[in-house]
Amino acid sequence: MTRRTVYLAVYDTYADWETGHTTAHLAQHGFTVRTVGPTTDPVTSMGGLTVRPDLALAELRPEDGALLILPGAGLWDAGDELAPFARAARTCLDAGVPVAAICGATAGLAREGLLDERAHTSAVSFYLAATGYGGGKHYVDADAVTDHGRAGRDGAGSGGAGSGGALVTAGPTEPVAFAREILALLGVFEGEKLDAWYRLFHDSDASAYEVLQG
């Protein structure tokens, strides 16, 4: 992975706690996190934080990024205002760029048809079923799921609908597992260190700290 820019979508009511572990540890390991809003006007998170996006969604260039992260938000279930972000996810995946979605953003991807043929998870299966999507048979009851796309299944290269970038999904109670999948996907940690990182931040296992420092 040579591209080191990670795009974090931000929009009114976005769930600021869901991506904190992810962005903090990516930033500490050489990635640049750039926020992407509907425009460059300030947005307000669910927790009342005001963020001025680094760039507008229309300026997003998938080929320049290593990952697009979509946090949950009340707006995902309140209409179509965030649908352009789901369409941007499709563009990224088709270009071979990974996408990571958590909480309500998974419903946005479901409505866009991006979960119909990929392994995925969310808060609960019936939450996604309510969108009317066609991917119920691919739902996995897990804390977080990474689907590596066609390239991960049969070795095919990227390019073409549904063939490219990996897709990470998680429910709203699993920000640490969400981060674990992303850190693995981008090569920040692997194997024993990845497991230790998860045990430290999810289970407060102090013994894992020594493994991370080794």
Side-chain angles (χ1 to χ4, degrees):
M1 179 70 67
T2 57
R3 290 170 292 186
R4 307 292 287 183
T5 297
V6 171
Y7 296 117
L8 172 65
V10 292
Y11 20 71
D12 284 333
T13 75
Y14 81 91
D16 39 30
W17 72 90
E18 293 177 341
T19 59
H21 286 86
T22 298
T23 56
H25 286 87
L26 289 177
Q28 290 173 23
H29 287 84
F31 287 86
T32 298
V33 178
R34 301 196 71 197
T35 51
V36 183
T39 67
T40 55
D41 292 337
V43 299
T44 303
S45 76
M46 196 175 292
L49 303 179
T50 300
V51 176
R52 183 179 294 276
D54 294 315
L55 67 159
L57 185 60
E59 301 174 286
L60 178 67
R61 291 172 51 88
E63 63 271 23
D64 293 338
L67 176 72
L68 171 64
I69 303 172
L70 301 175
L75 288 178
W76 282 113
D77 295 320
D80 296 329
E81 186 173 341
L82 298 185
F85 284 90
R87 292 194 290 271
R90 177 182 292 279
T91 299
C92 286
L93 292 171
D94 287 350
V97 177
V99 172
I102 185 170
C103 189
T106 61
L109 298 191
R111 295 185 189 97
E112 182 64 18
L114 295 176
L115 304 184
D116 287 354
E117 300 298 331
R118 289 175 174 264
H120 61 275
T121 193
S122 184
V124 286
S125 60
F126 55 80
Y127 170 63
L128 292 186
T131 69
Y133 84 131
K137 65 182 179 180
H138 299 293
Y139 187 89
V140 181
D141 188 9
D143 54 9
V145 171
T146 298
D147 182 287
H148 290 278
R150 187 185 304 166
R153 290 190 287 272
D154 61 18
S158 62
S163 67
L167 177 64
V168 176
T169 51
T173 61
E174 299 295 343
V176 181
F178 185 61
R180 177 195 63 203
E181 298 298 302
I182 293 170
L183 295 176
L185 182 65
L186 297 187
V188 174
F189 295 122
E190 60 183 15
E192 186 180 40
K193 283 199 171 183
L194 180 65
D195 177 67
W197 183 89
Y198 182 73
R199 287 189 289 111
L200 179 62
F201 287 96
H202 186 268
D203 303 325
S204 300
D205 183 350
S207 68
Y209 183 77
E210 294 183 5
V211 178
L212 286 172
Q213 297 304 304

